[in-house]
Amino acid sequence: MLLRWTDDDFKIHSRTGRGVDWPISYDDLVPYYGEVECALALYGEVDNIPTLPDSIYGHRAEMTAAERTFKDDVESKWPERRVVTWRYIGPEPTRILPPLRDAIASGNLDIRYNTVVSKILTDNGGHRATGVEVIDRVTREKTLVHARSVILCASPVESVRLMLNSASPRHPQGLGNSSGTLGRYFVDQLPCVVTGTYSKAKGWTTADNAPADPFYGPSGGIYVPRFIATDGNTAASDFAFQGSIGRYSTPDDANARFSFFGYGAMDADPENRISLDPRRRDAWGIPVPHIRCKIGGHDRQTLKNQIEAIVETIENAGGQIEYVGSPLGLEEKGRGAYPDADPISRLIFRWMFSRTMVMGAAIHEAGGARMGGDAQTSVLNKWNQSWDLPNLLVTDASAFAGSGVSGTTLTIMAMTVRACRHLAAELRGGDAEG
Ligand SMILES: Cc1cc2nc3c(=O)[nH]c(=O)nc-3n(C[C@H](O)[C@H](O)[C@H](O)COP(=O)(O)OP(=O)(O)OC[C@H]3O[C@@H](n4cnc5c(N)ncnc54)[C@H](O)[C@@H]3O)c2cc1C
């Protein structure tokens, strides 16, 4: 799934009074979203929904008959609750996606395999990044790689870990941490899951236009974006749902099966943070990250609202819920979870649920090196450059100033292209704002 984020995310403080506004807005990212989408040739449909801006699509996406019935039922009862197709990328048989293929073809890319970055190097004054220290995964040999600029995009936990592990006398609390916010304001999204059956449709189908993938099953499904407020433009809720109906293998005469996963925006709390574990080290001797990601009172309320909304939506559209679960607990309804499974499997599911449906289950982690409007409260400027060392960029989701309700990947890619274009212009000495 590749979805654009919106000013409902980027300007959350202006909209809700909570969190902080990002130093960039949706309009800043639009050209870069478009560029990435064209390179990836997404599957999707033009939906014209204010809370989920359309992408540029290369292919059509389809709903199953069951999903179309569900969409008609939901939208006719609640016009502010919209049901759209997934927007997704098709399979790539070579396993090398077009942006990487283009980079290799440019002749400007060297890939170093088995090379684990352990630290970012700086000049003596600690004002500029000068490269990275790397460890050969096989021989354990350490070498230095020098560079005019260093761009970290190693995923939120890892990029922050590397910056913390690069502490020096000039940067005693971690590289680029003069604000004291490095590692802090770490967020994920509030997860919930709902499954059951849908008696208005029987059996199953694939409804995926993309070519078959040799390793994975078909893709596709439906998505319920943030509900639309009465002004017709802004969001009325801070959660969204991704799921499918009638795509799970079932006998032709059995009720279709559905499953939805919910994603809620989590408050950015400075106490939720990545730090270096003082005792444990990984296979290469680098301190492992310690992650604190706990939900607070407002998150609890968002999660409750999120669960109530998905249960109400499904039940009113004629679905029979078997279970709904989240970090708040597991609630079984009707015949309960996996009613046709054997008792031991059902017992194991109940026992394991509270251990797996925890914060982190949404896998949309972000923050830790947030961008902002000033060097006192953020790690990066609006071009993803470290305030302290401007030739060090961080372009993964650790740069995000807050949580959202959709996957992070498309925004990471758009933000990375934007930041790198700006850096290239700076290196050429041209118009860096362009
Ligand atoms: C199961 C799953 C499903 C997901 N589904 C979606 C989805 O549908 N839509 C969506 O938007 N998002 C989804 N996500 C989230 C998405 O995968 C991430 O947002 C995205 O991959 C982050 O990109 P990244 O480049 O920051 O990190 P990564 O994709 O993790 O890439 C980081 C790279 O850096 C390398 N690296 C890390 N540390 C070092 C080091 N020390 N030295 C050298 N190299 C290093 C890693 O090997 C890796 O290749 C999903 C995540 C998971 C786990």
Side-chain angles (χ1 to χ4, degrees):
M1 283 282 274
L2 292 173
L3 302 171
R4 293 186 181 196
W5 285 32
T6 73
D7 281 337
D8 291 327
D9 306 298
F10 304 129
K11 301 298 167 197
I12 189 157
H13 184 78
S14 302
R15 180 170 63 82
T16 67
R18 310 188 68 80
V20 291
D21 286 350
W22 298 37
I24 56 174
S25 61
Y26 175 68
D27 286 345
D28 291 317
L29 284 180
V30 165
Y32 305 99
Y33 275 136
E35 192 174 341
V36 172
E37 289 157 357
C38 288
L40 297 177
L42 298 190
Y43 288 73
E45 295 290 299
V46 174
D47 296 305
N48 292 315
I49 295 177
T51 55
L52 186 68
D54 278 301
S55 288
I56 299 170
Y57 308 112
H59 307 276
R60 295 204 50 182
E62 298 280 342
M63 288 188 191
T64 63
E67 288 163 351
R68 279 196 299 274
T69 305
F70 180 81
K71 173 181 169 71
D72 291 345
D73 285 353
V74 172
E75 293 183 352
S76 57
K77 182 167 174 59
W78 292 288
E80 73 283 10
R81 300 185 189 185
R82 303 294 300 274
V83 179
V84 303
T85 61
W86 281 20
R87 299 168 182 179
Y88 63 101
I89 181 173
E92 175 53 62
T94 65
R95 294 307 190 245
I96 304 174
L97 292 172
L100 190 52
R101 252 195 337 249
D102 291 349
I104 294 169
S106 75
N108 293 326
L109 176 69
D110 290 327
I111 302 177
R112 292 186 52 153
Y113 298 96
N114 295 316
T115 306
V116 181
V117 175
S118 55
K119 269 185 191 160
I120 299 130
L121 307 170
T122 67
D123 59 9
N124 287 340
H127 301 298
R128 293 190 68 75
T130 55
V132 289
E133 177 190 87
V134 301
I135 301 170
D136 187 296
R137 193 182 66 82
V138 181
T139 64
R140 307 292 161 114
E141 189 192 348
K142 275 189 187 170
T143 46
L144 307 182
V145 179
H146 296 287
R148 284 170 77 187
S149 308
V150 174
I151 304 169
L152 290 179
C153 192
S155 81
V157 175
E158 180 67 357
S159 289
V160 170
R161 176 173 84 135
L162 289 173
M163 292 171 79
L164 290 170
N165 195 44
S166 306
S168 65
R170 170 75 177 76
H171 298 276
Q173 303 305 319
L175 196 58
N177 192 16
S178 60
S179 66
T181 58
L182 182 65
R184 294 188 181 273
Y185 301 101
F186 182 75
V187 287
D188 195 9
Q189 292 172 7
L190 304 165
C192 74
V193 62
V194 190
T195 68
T197 55
Y198 188 58
S199 55
K200 290 186 179 174
K202 304 284 176 202
W204 71 290
T205 179
T206 56
D208 180 13
N209 286 338
D213 185 281
F215 298 107
Y216 294 103
S219 204
I222 47 177
Y223 187 81
V224 182
R226 282 183 169 108
F227 300 161
I228 305 164
T230 44
D231 67 6
N233 281 319
T234 52
S237 61
D238 265 319
F239 42 76
F241 305 101
Q242 173 181 329
S244 65
I245 312 177
R247 293 178 191 254
Y248 296 92
S249 168
T250 36
D252 287 348
D253 57 349
N255 290 341
R257 293 201 61 77
F258 69 79
S259 169
F260 284 91
F261 203 95
Y263 300 91
M266 184 183 186
D267 268 4
D269 174 353
E271 297 311 314
N272 282 331
R273 62 186 290 212
I274 301 154
S275 52
L276 295 183
D277 190 300
R279 286 175 297 278
R280 294 171 60 205
R281 288 175 179 260
D282 67 13
W284 298 281
I286 311 170
V288 303
H290 178 267
I291 304 163
R292 181 192 192 271
C293 185
K294 286 192 176 176
I295 57 174
H298 186 261
D299 297 326
R300 222 166 261 280
Q301 193 53 52
T302 305
L303 203 41
K304 279 185 189 158
N305 297 345
Q306 177 176 326
I307 291 167
E308 270 172 34
I310 189 68
V311 167
E312 180 186 57
T313 306
I314 292 171
E315 290 186 339
N316 271 278
Q320 301 79 45
I321 293 175
E322 290 173 353
Y323 74 85
V324 46
S326 75
L328 301 181
L330 174 67
E331 184 190 351
E332 298 190 56
K333 293 179 151 233
R335 295 173 63 215
Y338 302 102
D340 301 321
D342 63 89
I344 297 203
S345 299
R346 296 184 81 188
L347 198 68
I348 292 173
F349 166 77
R350 288 176 189 129
W351 183 63
M352 288 301 294
F353 191 84
S354 62
R355 288 166 172 75
T356 52
M357 185 44 77
V358 293
M359 286 314 295
I363 349 177
H364 291 163
E365 65 278 11
R370 69 178 186 179
M371 52 162 61
D374 65 73
Q376 285 72 48
T377 58
S378 58
V379 176
L380 308 173
N381 70 14
K382 65 175 180 174
W383 299 107
N384 295 74
Q385 295 169 307
S386 157
W387 287 108
D388 301 344
L389 306 93
N391 72 332
L392 172 66
L393 280 72
V394 186
T395 70
D396 55 60
S398 43
F400 287 18
S403 171
V405 301
S406 309
T408 49
T409 306
L410 194 62
T411 301
I412 295 169
M413 295 181 81
M415 196 174 65
T416 301
V417 176
R418 178 177 179 272
C420 291
R421 286 272 156 70
H422 181 264
L423 174 67
E426 272 191 349
L427 290 173
R428 281 196 301 265
D431 171 17
E433 287 289 316

